[in-house]
């Protein structure tokens, strides 16, 4: 227990962290939240797997050595990268593989993902037990299924050892970490953990399920998503358990790193700008037109920066493209994901040369330029726990057009008559997540874009929204302090 006035110590446990390894928004969150918490006297150290991208150039001290750790030797390294204080679990038999943290070169899950991420959780647990003198956490804060077994190890393998409080954050309950029952014997847990109030999930092993039941507190990344996941429609099978957790579940909306995402200093932009120099955005738009091979035009240039999956509504955009072009808009899409969606997007673009362009791939720098040079960003997700690209859009004067779900509903103020008159509108929201819904929203966007005063107003109020971590970090700090008074 921290004494009064002493800072609390939190071990964050994550399978990705920006800028070392990133496949999506989870990395942005785990990379930015520690600094915001440090300002509130919460000391965060993050445990991450020792993938090649993490170990490259990492000069950590050996904090522990564990033989026979999930099938091979492991070392726990302690050090820092930039402002991030890290523990790195160096276990080559689990993590020394090229490419994506979760998938092999052919896009299949690594066959031993259960062991790979059980190992991450177990390493966190041993730190929690106090095995590493240098950092004995009051709270272990795990992110997603990859870190969800921490409360289970503490519960079933603790044998009277010290027990830190646990928080589990759900970034996306579509990913549940469910494995065949035979996996259980390889997790190093006693048989009594394979029960409904433990890891057993419809006869399988459920990582996320165990974490939801056993963590002291469960959070998710927006208040609206917290409401959605306790319903059968949004709960993806977990809703009953989440309802059972009652007040232990809460929604804390994500912020963004306003240093990394700052249009006034961004090195990826052709020209930097701020709210008082919005005309400078034109130079970024020209740069985009050149890079994407788009012809100039009077209508809005609308971007998308996204994993290409059905969650993100990409199939709706494929079908809506002709109508969007007919409205006078142009589109620049950056993304990668499902092969069928990649191909469908490329095919749609080929029908509209110089009006629609698609870049398949992952390009952090180009994602900044898209935010700084496009007029709008389209995020038509079927569900969205929080979503970060609309927040980057707000900060960059790139007006978000979003479906009214999850964190998109919580962070964008729809441009209706009342909000426009009050000068608080920041984007366009649509409730009907269908092709027609997307086209209708785009048609409203095109109309707004044709009204320079209304448009500037939207950009200015978006850029004035507080999208930093300041408020939400305080909510996490309060939560930790409630758990460890
Ligand atoms: P999710 O985590 O569900 O993919 P978020 O909106 O929370 O969605 O976060 C996505 C993050 O990944 C953002 O930082 C976004 O800019 C980035 N991103 C997604 N696709 C790409 C891409 N193809 N190239 C560069 N950045 C991308
Ligand atoms: C997940 C969600 C996304 C959220 C991100 C960070 O990837 O899909 O909505 O913004 O996590 O919390």
């Amino acid at each position: 227990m921290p004494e009064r006035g002493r800072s609390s110590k939190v071990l964050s446990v994550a399978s990705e962290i920006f800028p070392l390894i990133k496949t999506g928004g989870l990395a942005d969150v785990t990379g930015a939240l520690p600094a915001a918490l440090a300002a509130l006297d919460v000391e965060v150290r993050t445990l991450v797997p020792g993938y090649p991208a993490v170990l490259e150039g990492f000069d950590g001290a050996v904090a522990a050595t564990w033989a026979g750790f999930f099938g091979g030797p492991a070392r726990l390294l302690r050090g820092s990268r930039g402002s991030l204080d890290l523990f790195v679990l160096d276990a080559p038999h689990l993590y020394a593989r090229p490419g994506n943290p979760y998938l092999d070169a052919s896009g299949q899950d690594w066959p031993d993902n259960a062991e790979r991420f059980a190992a991450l959780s177990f390493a966190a647990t041993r730190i929690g037990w106090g095995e590493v003198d240098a950092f004995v956490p009051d709270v272990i804060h795990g992110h997603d299924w990859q870190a969800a077994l921490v409360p289970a190890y503490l519960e079933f393998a603790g044998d009277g050892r010290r027990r830190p409080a646990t928080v589990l954050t759900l970034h996306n309950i579509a990913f549940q970490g469910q494995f065949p029952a035979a996996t259980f014997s390889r997790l190093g847990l006693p048989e009594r953990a394979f029960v409904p109030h433990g890891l057993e999930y419809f006869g399988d092993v459920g990582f996320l399920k165990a974490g939801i039941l056993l963590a002291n507190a469960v959070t998710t990344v927006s208040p609206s998503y917290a409401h959605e996941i306790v319903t059968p429609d949004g709960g993806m099978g977990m809703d009953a358990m989440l309802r059972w957790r009652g007040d232990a579940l809460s929604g804390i909306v994500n912020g963004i790193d306003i240093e990394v995402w700052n249009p006034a200093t961004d090195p990826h932009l052709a020209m930097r700008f701020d709210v008082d120099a919005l005309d400078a955005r034109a130079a970024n738009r020209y740069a985009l037109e050149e890079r994407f091979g788009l012809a100039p035009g009077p209508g809005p240039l609308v971007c998308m920066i996204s994993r290409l999956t059905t969650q993100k509504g990409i199939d709706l955009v494929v079908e809506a493209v002709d109508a969007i072009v007919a409205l006078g808009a142009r589109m620049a899409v950056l993304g990668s994901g499902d092969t069928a969606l990649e191909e469908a997007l490329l095919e749609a673009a080929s029908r509209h040369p110089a009006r629609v362009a698609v870049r398949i791939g992952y390009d952090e720098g180009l994602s900044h330029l898209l935010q700084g040079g496009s007029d709008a960003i389209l995020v038509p997700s079927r569900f969205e726990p929080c979503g970060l690209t609309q927040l980057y859009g707000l900060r960059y004067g790139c007006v978000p057009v979003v479906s009214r779900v999850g964190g998109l509903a919580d962070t964008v103020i729809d441009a209706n008559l009342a909000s426009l008159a009050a000068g608080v509108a920041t984007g366009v929201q649509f409730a009907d997540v269908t092709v027609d819904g997307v086209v209708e929203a785009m048609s409203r966007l095109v109309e707004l874009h044709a009204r320079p005063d209304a448009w500037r107003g939207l950009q200015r109020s978006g850029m004035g929204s507080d999208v930093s971590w300041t408020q939400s970090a305080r909510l996490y700090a309060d939560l930790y302090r409630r758990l460890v008074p």
Side-chain angles (χ1 to χ4, degrees):
M1 298 268 163
E3 293 147 23
R4 250 192 132 60
R6 182 163 84 75
S7 62
S8 41
K9 282 193 165 65
V10 176
L11 179 68
S12 172
V13 188
S15 57
E16 43 185 283
I17 188 165
F18 182 85
L20 304 183
I21 178 100
K22 165 169 166 178
T23 71
L26 168 65
D28 290 352
V29 171
T30 58
L33 184 53
L37 284 166
L40 301 170
D41 224 10
V42 178
E43 188 184 335
V44 180
R45 186 167 278 272
T46 308
L47 171 68
V48 286
Y51 314 115
V54 170
L55 285 171
E56 200 187 304
F58 180 75
D59 184 22
V62 178
T65 310
W66 295 317
F69 196 78
F70 291 80
R75 298 185 313 162
L76 184 72
L77 306 177
R78 182 170 148 256
S80 53
R81 283 289 288 266
S83 67
L84 294 169
D85 291 323
L86 300 174
F87 280 125
V88 174
L89 180 58
D90 179 20
H93 60 294
L94 301 173
Y95 308 125
R97 303 173 193 184
N100 186 288
Y102 317 114
L103 310 173
D104 66 19
S106 66
Q108 302 298 309
D109 286 348
W110 295 110
D112 55 349
N113 271 351
E115 289 92 324
R116 295 174 74 228
F117 295 108
L120 183 70
S121 291
F122 189 58
T125 303
R126 292 182 72 159
I127 298 167
W129 283 338
E131 288 188 25
V132 180
D133 291 341
F135 192 83
V136 181
D138 306 301
V139 176
I140 302 184
H141 184 167
H143 297 272
D144 277 350
W145 73 264
Q146 291 90 350
L149 284 191
V150 174
Y153 282 116
L154 291 170
E155 172 79 15
F156 296 109
D159 291 330
R161 281 174 272 221
R162 82 182 281 283
R163 186 163 176 170
T166 50
V167 177
L168 173 66
T169 294
L170 311 172
H171 293 264
N172 190 340
I173 58 163
F175 303 104
Q176 303 188 346
Q178 194 172 340
F179 300 97
T183 316
F184 181 78
S185 62
R186 299 197 290 275
L187 302 180
L189 280 159
E191 206 53 46
R192 69 194 162 83
F194 195 62
V195 292
H197 198 77
L199 274 73
E200 192 271 331
Y201 188 53
F202 296 113
D204 284 347
V205 167
F207 279 38
L208 194 68
K209 177 259 169 162
I212 287 174
L213 286 180
L214 297 168
N216 296 115
V218 179
T219 69
T220 187
V221 288
S222 68
S224 285
Y225 192 59
H227 290 298
E228 290 166 11
I229 59 180
V230 295
T231 68
D233 274 353
M236 298 194 167
M238 302 266 161
D239 48 294
M241 263 177 312
L242 287 162
R243 284 196 297 278
W244 178 77
R245 290 306 317 259
D247 289 347
L249 170 69
S250 62
I252 301 178
V253 74
N254 287 334
I256 64 170
D257 186 326
I258 56 171
E259 307 289 327
V260 172
W261 293 91
N262 181 355
T265 58
D266 193 326
H268 302 293
L269 298 183
M271 190 176 285
R272 297 171 193 157
F273 60 92
D274 61 24
V275 70
D276 297 319
L278 280 169
D279 288 343
R281 294 183 92 261
N284 298 314
R285 192 168 56 246
Y286 298 142
L288 280 177
E289 286 167 352
E290 202 153 282
R291 281 188 66 174
F292 279 82
L294 292 166
L301 173 58
V302 180
C303 75
M304 296 184 72
I305 304 156
S306 185
R307 290 187 288 118
L308 303 178
T309 65
T310 49
Q311 172 194 341
K312 301 291 182 179
I314 303 301
D315 50 314
L316 305 175
V317 177
V318 167
E319 283 194 54
V321 159
D322 297 355
I324 292 172
V325 170
L327 288 167
R330 290 165 296 148
M331 293 198 73
V333 181
L334 170 64
S336 62
D338 296 353
T339 316
L341 289 171
E342 292 181 356
E343 282 165 7
L345 273 175
L346 287 167
E347 197 279 324
S350 71
R351 290 200 307 273
H352 301 286
R355 310 279 313 168
V356 178
V358 175
R359 291 286 170 273
I360 301 299
Y362 193 94
D363 187 335
E364 193 74 28
L366 187 54
S367 78
H368 285 241
L369 183 63
L370 280 162
Q371 298 280 10
S374 309
D375 299 296
I377 180 161
L378 174 60
V379 193
S381 305
R382 290 194 165 80
F383 66 95
E384 195 61 75
C386 180
L388 296 177
T389 59
Q390 83 283 10
L391 300 180
Y392 300 137
L394 290 171
R395 176 119 172 105
Y396 278 61
C398 179
V399 174
V401 182
V402 302
S403 50
R404 189 171 296 149
V405 296
L408 302 175
D410 292 345
T411 54
V412 174
I413 300 175
D414 182 50
N416 58 36
L417 286 177
S419 64
L420 280 170
V424 295
T426 60
V428 172
Q429 277 195 357
F430 59 98
D432 184 16
V433 192
T434 60
V435 177
D436 288 348
V438 171
V439 175
E440 206 185 301
M442 289 300 295
S443 143
R444 284 173 56 206
L445 181 89
V446 170
E447 279 170 30
L448 286 160
H449 184 255
R451 293 164 50 197
D453 289 348
W455 189 257
R456 276 283 186 264
L458 276 181
Q459 288 181 303
R460 289 211 176 94
S461 25
M463 293 178 86
S465 328
D466 181 7
V467 290
S468 74
W469 269 107
T470 308
Q471 298 188 43
S472 293
R474 185 163 294 287
L475 296 176
Y476 279 113
D478 289 347
L479 173 65
Y480 301 146
R481 291 193 173 115
R482 277 201 301 283
L483 295 175
V484 188

